[in-house]
Amino acid sequence: MCCPTEQTMIESKLARMSGIHKLEFNMMSRTLGVWHELPNTLDIEAAVRSLGMHAEPLATESNAADANANQAGSQAQLTHKANWWPLVLSGVAAAGAEVLHFTQSAPEWVVAAIALFAIALCGPTTYKKGWIALKNLNLNINALMSIAVTGAVLIGQWPEAAMVMVLFTIAEMVEAKSLDRARNAIKGLLDLAPERATVRQSDGSWLEVDVKAVRTGALVRVRPGERIGLDGEVASGTSTVNQAPITGESLPIEKTVNDHVYAGSINESGSFEYRVTAEANNTTLARIIHAVEEAQSSRAPTQRFVDKFAKIYTPVVFFFALAVALIPPLFMGGLWADWIYRGLVLLVVACPCALVISTPVSIVSGLAAAARKGILVKGGVYLEIGAKLSFVALDKTGTITHGKPVQTDFLLLAETSDGEPQLLAASLGSRSDHPVSRAIAKHDEMAATTLKQVESFEAIPGRGVKGSIDGQIYYLGNHRLVAELGLTTQSLDASLSQLERQGKTVVMLASATQVFALFAVADTVKDSSQLAIKELHELGIKTMMLTGDNEHTAEAIAERVGIDEPRGNLLPDDKLKAINELQSRKHVVGMVGDGINDAPALAKSQIGFAMAAAGTGTAIETADVALMDDDLRKIPAFVRLSRQTALILKQNIVFALGIKAIFLVFTLMGVATMWMAVFADVGVSLLVVLNGLRLLKK
């Protein structure tokens, strides 16, 4: 299945068979999904063979990794290997016939013999495919070209018939090579992970084995420069790892014990060992490959429109060409040879191959370009919708911020008799499981090694904690606790209010009689968030932040990063209502979250973006677009790629139809020749394919 003409023939043939309910074509990977009630696939394979093609089951293994490998092998075998010498010889013969005809230096029968020799060398494949298409009442490019060349021979246009067949064969061959490049862009994902890994055996030795045989829990060793074969967690050693093939991160990442590593990433410097956490068929890379394959199968809106348009367009133009050939000679006194020739030219121009092939090539190129950037798009429909985004709603925690509270401020109010207030607060905080207390405990690494013994520790719900240190009772708590102790003052409240207006949570270290220090804790903003919001604004896209935090925190974070509309104190249902509100204002909305907690809002938005999907298989499965790391700048990058894809799709459609319209006029005026018509059809097909492939460089 090399181009849309074969797809149409298969679809027409199988759709008439009883027991077949659904067909799903993936032309880029040359695969066909068939939903049927037949006892086996023999009848399906026979039907495909009757069309001059060969079909075989892609994979019967339950192991997805094996299926992917089989598919890669099948595609490798199907890659076009051109046999150039007959084509070169036929080209020389066709050119010789043209020269002899133009100079009239040889008898007509010599010109005819040379032209027929050229057609015989390069035309059999076209004639075979054309005959099969006509038998199945299908007007594809091979059928139209066969009719046109035969008609040209019958009316004595020998040299032109030969040149048309040669040019058509050359263009088909080059177009096939271009399509192979688009296919290889996706197939290249399969080559990222190595086939073998060095695994520790039960006797302590190390043995290189097939990655498909490695099970979870196995210990794998990676040397400098090697690709990592499986997902895992570093057990020993340190290194820098290039994760660009998976997450799109531009710089290598430092990896140490307990850090995650992904199949397909590259170990750059040190040697380390990691514990396997996912088998070959379930690695992040395997899920990416599966998602991209699924994305190819779902047709984008433009592609669906083009396919429907082509089904009407081709027969209409065919019968128009027939009318051009017959009506003027029959009713207007035109010359038969002249008007038949014009009808034949129209037949060549008629095929919508350029129009049909332009959309899948552009979409697949866009999907591949996005995958290389660490952006996993789950279908062409989202690639197209991305170009229309006008509002992006973002969760705060873990999306705009890191999702891990840290101590940001320390204000000393009075000295304590038992040591530094930071040390005392850290000692109390280390006994608590509250995120704010834990952030204070982790703030001072030196204090963590010299924590004081806390006696009579007690958690005070909704207020804080208390405990005895060196015989003195200390409290670490919020404003409510300090107020209940009767320790609030006007200056203390002013300091507290100032920090809270910055979106920070404030706790105080106090005794029963005095407040010693204020500690402010906040979820810090990622460095990339402000740049990402700025880039979205430059693209004309407005932003909204949806968070369960209080309004002060929401407004402070929004002001810092440049969010247009902050919304605080929101439950999941409230976030859903916010998306509905934006859509009621006629916005095309994207929602950015973790793929789980924000599920209602993600599902309701036109595009749901999941952050840091490399760490969560759920996000890859559920999101419309999965960002493989936690860098928000990938969203404007996705929008730019979507807009570029949409532009190329429009360019290709306008170009394909525009050239055909021009040649339609030229043909009716008697200006266009058949070899010019070949360029108008197959030449345009090649140009739109090359235009679509430009996305691979984005």
Side-chain angles (χ1 to χ4, degrees), residues 24-31 71 75 182-187 189-190 288-300 303 359-361 363-365 367-368 377-381:
E24 191 173 86
F25 291 87
N26 187 335
M27 202 176 65
M28 288 297 102
S29 62
R30 293 190 179 112
T31 58
Q71 181 172 342
Q75 290 183 20
R183 293 183 180 105
N184 290 336
I186 296 297
K187 177 180 165 291
L189 289 172
L190 294 165
I288 292 172
I289 293 168
H290 176 71
V292 172
E293 289 170 348
E294 289 291 315
Q296 291 181 68
S297 299
S298 61
R299 295 189 178 186
Q303 188 173 353
T359 46
V361 169
I363 292 295
V364 169
S365 297
L367 293 173
V377 186
K378 299 295 286 293
V381 59

Side-chain angles (χ1 to χ4, degrees), residues 11 114 173 264 349 451 637 681:
E11 189 172 15
I114 295 174
M173 199 173 288
V349 176
L451 291 176
D681 178 68

Side-chain angles (χ1 to χ4, degrees), residues 116 119 127 134 142-162 164-165 325 336-345 347-348 674:
L116 289 174
I119 294 171
Y127 271 115
L134 289 173
N142 294 295
L144 298 179
M145 196 61 64
S146 299
I147 294 171
V149 171
T150 303
V153 168
L154 293 176
I155 62 174
Q157 297 288 339
W158 310 95
E160 193 157 0
V164 164
M165 186 60 80
W336 279 99
D338 184 23
W339 286 100
I340 288 175
Y341 180 81
R342 296 187 192 187
L344 295 174
V345 173
L347 283 183
V348 178
M674 285 185 66

Side-chain angles (χ1 to χ4, degrees), residues 85-86 89-94 110-124 162:
W85 74 262
L89 190 57
S90 61
V92 172
V110 174
V111 175
I114 295 174
L116 289 174
F117 173 72
I119 294 171
L121 272 177
C122 67

Side-chain angles (χ1 to χ4, degrees), residues 417-672:
S417 59
D418 297 313
E420 291 290 332
Q422 179 71 61
L423 178 61
L424 296 174
S427 300
L428 287 168
S430 66
R431 296 289 303 274
S432 172
D433 59 0
H434 193 281
V436 173
S437 296
R438 303 298 296 176
I440 294 172
K442 292 178 181 179
H443 178 70
D444 191 337
E445 293 183 1
M446 289 296 294
T449 62
T450 57
L451 291 176
K452 288 182 171 290
Q453 183 71 29
V454 179
E455 305 287 345
S456 304
F457 178 82
E458 180 183 345
I460 308 172
R463 293 162 177 79
V465 298
K466 75 173 184 177
S468 174
I469 300 177
D470 296 333
Q472 172 71 42
I473 297 293
Y474 290 99
Y475 297 86
L476 181 66
N478 57 22
H479 183 262
R480 180 182 297 177
L481 176 62
V482 172
E484 290 177 356
L485 293 171
L487 302 178
T488 56
T489 64
Q490 188 172 356
S491 61
L492 181 67
D493 287 346
S495 299
L496 189 74
S497 177
Q498 181 181 1
L499 290 169
E500 286 183 340
R501 280 198 300 271
Q502 297 173 22
K504 300 172 181 177
T505 300
V506 182
V507 295
M508 288 151 278
L509 178 70
S511 65
T513 59
Q514 187 177 14
V515 177
F516 298 107
L518 275 74
F519 301 86
V521 172
D523 187 2
T524 56
V525 173
K526 297 174 186 174
D527 294 336
S528 59
S529 295
Q530 187 172 2
L531 292 172
I533 300 303
K534 180 182 178 183
E535 289 181 35
L536 285 171
H537 288 161
E538 290 172 351
L539 291 168
I541 297 173
K542 293 188 175 182
T543 53
M544 174 183 285
M545 184 174 70
L546 308 176
T547 178
D549 287 350
N550 62 60
E551 295 285 354
H552 285 308
T553 300
E555 290 173 3
I557 298 295
E559 183 179 356
R560 180 171 175 182
V561 300
I563 295 284
D564 295 309
E565 295 184 33
R567 302 279 181 94
N569 293 319
L570 300 184
L571 297 173
D573 285 346
D574 298 321
K575 293 183 179 183
L576 177 60
K577 291 175 183 176
I579 299 297
N580 282 325
E581 177 193 330
L582 290 174
Q583 291 174 336
S584 69
R585 286 153 53 183
K586 307 302 180 185
H587 286 292
V588 178
V589 184
M591 171 66 193
V592 190
D594 60 11
I596 301 171
N597 297 333
D598 302 302
L602 285 165
K604 180 62 179 175
S605 61
Q606 277 90 343
I607 302 182
F609 295 89
M611 293 290 290
T616 57
T618 305
I620 292 180
E621 298 299 327
T622 58
D624 302 323
V625 177
L627 310 181
M628 302 308 291
D629 64 4
D630 59 356
D631 191 342
L632 273 179
R633 288 174 294 183
K634 282 185 168 50
I635 294 178
F638 165 76
V639 173
R640 284 191 289 268
L641 181 62
S642 296
R643 292 183 179 180
Q644 186 67 25
T645 302
L647 177 62
I648 285 179
L649 284 172
K650 291 175 184 176
Q651 288 174 348
N652 285 346
I653 292 171
V654 170
F655 189 56
L657 291 178
I659 293 295
K660 288 182 183 296
I662 291 170
F663 269 83
L664 175 65
V665 175
F666 284 174
T667 302
L668 294 176
M669 293 171 58
V671 176

Side-chain angles (χ1 to χ4, degrees), residues 8-17 46-48 50-51 136:
T8 303
M9 288 173 60
I10 296 172
E11 189 172 15
S12 177
K13 184 77 172 180
L14 296 184
R16 296 195 296 265
M17 292 177 60
V48 174
S50 71
L51 300 175
N136 289 276

